[in-house]
Amino acid sequence: MSETNYETIDWSFDEESGLGRITLDRPKAMNAINIQMQHELIDAFDAFQALDDEADGIAVRAVLVDSAGDRAFCSGLDVGEMSDFSTYHEKKRVPDLFCEMCAAFEEYDAPVIVSVDGLCLGGGFEIVMSSDFRFATEDASFGQPEVNFGVLPGGAAAQRLTTIVGASRAKEITMTGDRLSATEAAEDGILTDVFAERDELDEHVNELASKLTSKPPLALRSIKQAVNITRNVGYDAGIEYGSHAWPALAQSDDYAKAIDAFGSDERPEFEGK
């Protein structure tokens, strides 16, 4: 088990399974996102990338994100820090850093799974939407309250919501600042699934993580890239990417292992090369 020391998050990596884990760890502040946490979350994904760069193949197969404490996944931006910002250029650092933080989740090559229990507002909700698989307990609630402070969401929540729920619903969620129950968020397609109890949530998330870490990692990364390109650029660009990615993957050792094992009871161990 590899570990890196941070002050606002816990970071770990299981070499055997290939599962990375990030835990938001400011429970006394309801895991509010301060500037240090933003930098540490960005660095956490850089640390996972460094493991990949050093590996013979792919090291990190999936990343699981959760939170410490039982009141909130994340209550959003640590507003107290913003009081010292007075100029336009100082204040512009807020959305710039938030967007960089969210991009770290969204653009990391491996699948990112987020597990939510409790309150999830503002920047916390933006972290959820930037992840690939999103799960919550029935007690979780979500919202983008930034309109009540006279601003729009700084981490591109309005833009991401538009791609998930459509323009009209995205405007309703961000313009009213109303809270969404976990059930409502799932009905909108924001959440992958909802569970009655934390134990059920943890069991399902761990099962999914185990399933993903057993799959050919190069294929998972290419699928994530194909989906993101299609959403961010367009259908034709996504098709073009896939037409080049498929033959490249078919040249991999993992593909050869899968073909050799086809029709047998053998379960190949994929290495990402």
Side-chain angles (χ1 to χ4, degrees):
M1 176 79 74
S2 298
E3 295 184 1
T4 298
N5 292 324
Y6 296 105
E7 292 186 20
T8 67
I9 64 173
D10 284 336
W11 181 101
S12 64
F13 175 67
D14 188 306
E15 295 94 340
E16 184 175 350
S17 67
L19 181 64
R21 184 182 290 267
I22 297 171
T23 300
L24 308 186
D25 193 21
R26 298 186 72 212
K28 291 182 180 179
M30 298 183 72
N31 297 314
I33 302 171
N34 60 8
I35 292 171
Q36 183 176 0
M37 180 184 282
Q38 292 176 73
H39 283 295
E40 289 186 350
L41 285 169
I42 293 166
D43 188 75
F45 282 98
D46 287 342
F48 288 134
Q49 183 61 57
L51 292 174
D52 287 333
D53 293 341
E54 295 166 2
D56 179 21
I58 296 295
V60 184
R61 310 299 180 92
V63 174
L64 176 58
V65 181
D66 58 14
S67 61
D70 56 8
R71 292 191 299 160
F73 172 77
C74 176
S75 59
L77 178 70
D78 192 332
V79 178
E81 281 193 336
M82 302 302 107
S83 59
D84 293 333
F85 294 175
S86 58
T87 70
Y88 171 87
H89 293 291
E90 286 176 329
K91 291 177 180 179
K92 191 174 185 305
R93 288 159 46 194
V94 177
D96 287 350
L97 187 56
F98 250 94
C99 285
E100 184 180 355
M101 179 194 73
C102 290
F105 288 77
E106 191 169 62
E107 296 175 5
Y108 182 61
D109 292 332
V112 178
I113 308 164
V114 66
S115 175
V116 179
D117 188 26
L119 194 65
C120 182
L121 300 178
F125 196 5
E126 292 178 311
I127 285 175
V128 171
M129 287 186 283
S130 300
S131 301
D132 301 302
F133 299 92
R134 313 163 194 140
F135 301 96
T137 62
E138 290 179 354
D139 291 336
S141 61
F142 302 82
Q144 297 292 163
E146 290 86 351
V147 65
N148 299 320
F149 294 91
V151 293
L152 82 166
Q159 297 88 325
R160 285 192 177 88
L161 274 170
T162 299
T163 69
I164 299 169
V165 303
S168 181
R169 181 63 169 145
K171 291 173 184 175
E172 181 181 10
I173 293 170
T174 53
M175 288 182 178
T176 65
D178 290 346
R179 299 272 180 93
L180 299 176
S181 70
T183 300
E184 289 172 322
E187 290 172 351
D188 280 335
I190 298 169
L191 296 178
T192 309
D193 208 345
V194 176
F195 298 89
E197 303 291 340
R198 179 63 184 260
D199 289 346
E200 293 178 45
L201 170 67
D202 291 342
E203 180 179 0
H204 181 83
V205 166
N206 289 330
E207 286 178 359
L208 176 61
S210 179
K211 180 179 291 187
L212 291 175
T213 55
S214 72
K215 300 291 184 182
L218 291 174
L220 290 183
R221 290 171 176 228
S222 290
I223 292 168
K224 178 171 178 173
Q225 183 78 338
V227 172
N228 286 353
I229 288 174
T230 303
R231 180 196 60 201
N232 296 336
V233 182
Y235 182 78
D236 290 342
I239 295 293
E240 179 68 14
Y241 168 80
S243 71
H244 293 287
W246 195 97
L249 290 169
Q251 294 289 100
S252 69
D253 292 346
D254 284 349
Y255 177 84
K257 286 182 180 180
I259 293 298
D260 287 343
F262 183 73
S264 72
D265 293 330
E266 180 186 353
R267 299 189 68 177
E269 293 186 10
F270 299 111
E271 299 180 75
K273 57 183 181 178

mmCIF file of all heavy atoms in Angstrom, residues 44-63:
data_model
loop_
_atom_site.group_PDB
_atom_site.id
_atom_site.type_symbol
_atom_site.label_atom_id
_atom_site.label_comp_id
_atom_site.label_asym_id
_atom_site.label_seq_id
_atom_site.Cartn_x
_atom_site.Cartn_y
_atom_site.Cartn_z
ATOM 1 N N ALA A 44 -2.969 15.117 -5.935
ATOM 2 C CA ALA A 44 -3.294 13.704 -5.730
ATOM 3 C C ALA A 44 -3.396 12.969 -7.056
ATOM 4 O O ALA A 44 -2.898 11.837 -7.203
ATOM 5 C CB ALA A 44 -4.600 13.580 -4.948
ATOM 6 N N PHE A 45 -4.041 13.597 -8.045
ATOM 7 C CA PHE A 45 -4.132 12.953 -9.354
ATOM 8 C C PHE A 45 -2.789 12.978 -10.081
ATOM 9 O O PHE A 45 -2.474 12.056 -10.845
ATOM 10 C CB PHE A 45 -5.235 13.604 -10.186
ATOM 11 C CG PHE A 45 -6.610 13.147 -9.791
ATOM 12 C CD1 PHE A 45 -7.399 13.904 -8.947
ATOM 13 C CD2 PHE A 45 -7.103 11.934 -10.245
ATOM 14 C CE1 PHE A 45 -8.656 13.470 -8.566
ATOM 15 C CE2 PHE A 45 -8.363 11.482 -9.868
ATOM 16 C CZ PHE A 45 -9.143 12.256 -9.023
ATOM 17 N N ASP A 46 -1.986 14.006 -9.834
ATOM 18 C CA ASP A 46 -0.629 14.011 -10.386
ATOM 19 C C ASP A 46 0.179 12.843 -9.809
ATOM 20 O O ASP A 46 0.992 12.230 -10.516
ATOM 21 C CB ASP A 46 0.076 15.327 -10.064
ATOM 22 C CG ASP A 46 -0.445 16.495 -10.886
ATOM 23 O OD1 ASP A 46 -1.092 16.250 -11.932
ATOM 24 O OD2 ASP A 46 -0.209 17.652 -10.483
ATOM 25 N N ALA A 47 -0.049 12.539 -8.517
ATOM 26 C CA ALA A 47 0.649 11.419 -7.885
ATOM 27 C C ALA A 47 0.219 10.088 -8.501
ATOM 28 O O ALA A 47 1.052 9.187 -8.703
ATOM 29 C CB ALA A 47 0.393 11.423 -6.376
ATOM 30 N N PHE A 48 -1.081 9.951 -8.802
ATOM 31 C CA PHE A 48 -1.521 8.741 -9.496
ATOM 32 C C PHE A 48 -0.890 8.657 -10.887
ATOM 33 O O PHE A 48 -0.464 7.585 -11.329
ATOM 34 C CB PHE A 48 -3.046 8.725 -9.619
ATOM 35 C CG PHE A 48 -3.770 8.462 -8.325
ATOM 36 C CD1 PHE A 48 -4.863 9.231 -7.955
ATOM 37 C CD2 PHE A 48 -3.367 7.438 -7.483
ATOM 38 C CE1 PHE A 48 -5.538 8.986 -6.769
ATOM 39 C CE2 PHE A 48 -4.034 7.192 -6.288
ATOM 40 C CZ PHE A 48 -5.122 7.980 -5.926
ATOM 41 N N GLN A 49 -0.822 9.794 -11.577
ATOM 42 C CA GLN A 49 -0.212 9.812 -12.903
ATOM 43 C C GLN A 49 1.262 9.415 -12.828
ATOM 44 O O GLN A 49 1.769 8.702 -13.708
ATOM 45 C CB GLN A 49 -0.347 11.201 -13.529
ATOM 46 C CG GLN A 49 0.188 11.299 -14.954
ATOM 47 C CD GLN A 49 -0.542 10.375 -15.904
ATOM 48 O OE1 GLN A 49 -1.764 10.451 -16.032
ATOM 49 N NE2 GLN A 49 0.192 9.487 -16.565
ATOM 50 N N ALA A 50 1.952 9.851 -11.786
ATOM 51 C CA ALA A 50 3.361 9.494 -11.625
ATOM 52 C C ALA A 50 3.524 7.981 -11.464
ATOM 53 O O ALA A 50 4.483 7.392 -11.989
ATOM 54 C CB ALA A 50 3.949 10.225 -10.419
ATOM 55 N N LEU A 51 2.585 7.340 -10.742
ATOM 56 C CA LEU A 51 2.633 5.877 -10.615
ATOM 57 C C LEU A 51 2.482 5.207 -11.977
ATOM 58 O O LEU A 51 3.157 4.221 -12.275
ATOM 59 C CB LEU A 51 1.530 5.400 -9.666
ATOM 60 C CG LEU A 51 1.668 5.780 -8.192
ATOM 61 C CD1 LEU A 51 0.418 5.341 -7.426
ATOM 62 C CD2 LEU A 51 2.906 5.155 -7.584
ATOM 63 N N ASP A 52 1.575 5.747 -12.796
ATOM 64 C CA ASP A 52 1.401 5.205 -14.146
ATOM 65 C C ASP A 52 2.674 5.376 -14.971
ATOM 66 O O ASP A 52 3.097 4.473 -15.701
ATOM 67 C CB ASP A 52 0.243 5.910 -14.859
ATOM 68 C CG ASP A 52 -1.121 5.501 -14.311
ATOM 69 O OD1 ASP A 52 -1.239 4.380 -13.801
ATOM 70 O OD2 ASP A 52 -2.055 6.300 -14.406
ATOM 71 N N ASP A 53 3.280 6.544 -14.855
ATOM 72 C CA ASP A 53 4.471 6.845 -15.649
ATOM 73 C C ASP A 53 5.636 5.934 -15.274
ATOM 74 O O ASP A 53 6.475 5.598 -16.126
ATOM 75 C CB ASP A 53 4.893 8.309 -15.459
ATOM 76 C CG ASP A 53 3.876 9.291 -16.035
ATOM 77 O OD1 ASP A 53 3.051 8.866 -16.869
ATOM 78 O OD2 ASP A 53 3.903 10.468 -15.630
ATOM 79 N N GLU A 54 5.690 5.544 -14.005
ATOM 80 C CA GLU A 54 6.790 4.709 -13.524
ATOM 81 C C GLU A 54 6.554 3.215 -13.763
ATOM 82 O O GLU A 54 7.491 2.416 -13.684
ATOM 83 C CB GLU A 54 6.992 4.937 -12.021
ATOM 84 C CG GLU A 54 7.443 6.353 -11.665
ATOM 85 C CD GLU A 54 7.298 6.652 -10.184
ATOM 86 O OE1 GLU A 54 6.882 5.737 -9.441
ATOM 87 O OE2 GLU A 54 7.583 7.791 -9.781
ATOM 88 N N ALA A 55 5.318 2.837 -14.045
ATOM 89 C CA ALA A 55 4.954 1.423 -14.123
ATOM 90 C C ALA A 55 5.326 0.803 -15.469
ATOM 91 O O ALA A 55 5.424 1.489 -16.489
ATOM 92 C CB ALA A 55 3.452 1.259 -13.888
ATOM 93 N N ASP A 56 5.508 -0.498 -15.439
ATOM 94 C CA ASP A 56 5.650 -1.274 -16.668
ATOM 95 C C ASP A 56 4.246 -1.703 -17.073
ATOM 96 O O ASP A 56 3.790 -2.792 -16.761
ATOM 97 C CB ASP A 56 6.542 -2.490 -16.415
ATOM 98 C CG ASP A 56 6.709 -3.344 -17.668
ATOM 99 O OD1 ASP A 56 6.490 -2.823 -18.778
ATOM 100 O OD2 ASP A 56 7.056 -4.536 -17.523
ATOM 101 N N GLY A 57 3.552 -0.819 -17.771
ATOM 102 C CA GLY A 57 2.129 -1.016 -18.059
ATOM 103 C C GLY A 57 1.337 0.064 -17.360
ATOM 104 O O GLY A 57 1.761 1.219 -17.293
ATOM 105 N N ILE A 58 0.176 -0.309 -16.801
ATOM 106 C CA ILE A 58 -0.690 0.645 -16.101
ATOM 107 C C ILE A 58 -0.747 0.271 -14.631
ATOM 108 O O ILE A 58 -1.061 -0.866 -14.278
ATOM 109 C CB ILE A 58 -2.115 0.639 -16.696
ATOM 110 C CG1 ILE A 58 -2.089 1.117 -18.136
ATOM 111 C CG2 ILE A 58 -3.047 1.500 -15.862
ATOM 112 C CD1 ILE A 58 -1.678 2.564 -18.329
ATOM 113 N N ALA A 59 -0.470 1.237 -13.752
ATOM 114 C CA ALA A 59 -0.518 0.983 -12.312
ATOM 115 C C ALA A 59 -1.914 1.208 -11.752
ATOM 116 O O ALA A 59 -2.478 0.346 -11.081
ATOM 117 C CB ALA A 59 0.490 1.871 -11.588
ATOM 118 N N VAL A 60 -2.493 2.378 -12.033
ATOM 119 C CA VAL A 60 -3.760 2.771 -11.415
ATOM 120 C C VAL A 60 -4.916 2.351 -12.310
ATOM 121 O O VAL A 60 -5.071 2.855 -13.424
ATOM 122 C CB VAL A 60 -3.800 4.290 -11.160
ATOM 123 C CG1 VAL A 60 -5.085 4.676 -10.436
ATOM 124 C CG2 VAL A 60 -2.580 4.738 -10.359
ATOM 125 N N ARG A 61 -5.747 1.451 -11.817
ATOM 126 C CA ARG A 61 -6.855 0.917 -12.617
ATOM 127 C C ARG A 61 -8.141 1.708 -12.403
ATOM 128 O O ARG A 61 -8.990 1.777 -13.286
ATOM 129 C CB ARG A 61 -7.096 -0.552 -12.261
ATOM 130 C CG ARG A 61 -5.840 -1.434 -12.285
ATOM 131 C CD ARG A 61 -5.203 -1.467 -13.665
ATOM 132 N NE ARG A 61 -4.014 -2.299 -13.716
ATOM 133 C CZ ARG A 61 -4.007 -3.595 -14.047
ATOM 134 N NH1 ARG A 61 -5.158 -4.200 -14.321
ATOM 135 N NH2 ARG A 61 -2.886 -4.264 -14.089
ATOM 136 N N ALA A 62 -8.333 2.270 -11.216
ATOM 137 C CA ALA A 62 -9.516 3.072 -10.903
ATOM 138 C C ALA A 62 -9.209 3.885 -9.661
ATOM 139 O O ALA A 62 -8.300 3.559 -8.893
ATOM 140 C CB ALA A 62 -10.748 2.192 -10.680
ATOM 141 N N VAL A 63 -9.991 4.963 -9.455
ATOM 142 C CA VAL A 63 -9.832 5.815 -8.273
ATOM 143 C C VAL A 63 -11.193 5.953 -7.592
ATOM 144 O O VAL A 63 -12.201 6.241 -8.250
ATOM 145 C CB VAL A 63 -9.290 7.213 -8.650
ATOM 146 C CG1 VAL A 63 -9.261 8.125 -7.426
ATOM 147 C CG2 VAL A 63 -7.897 7.100 -9.270
#
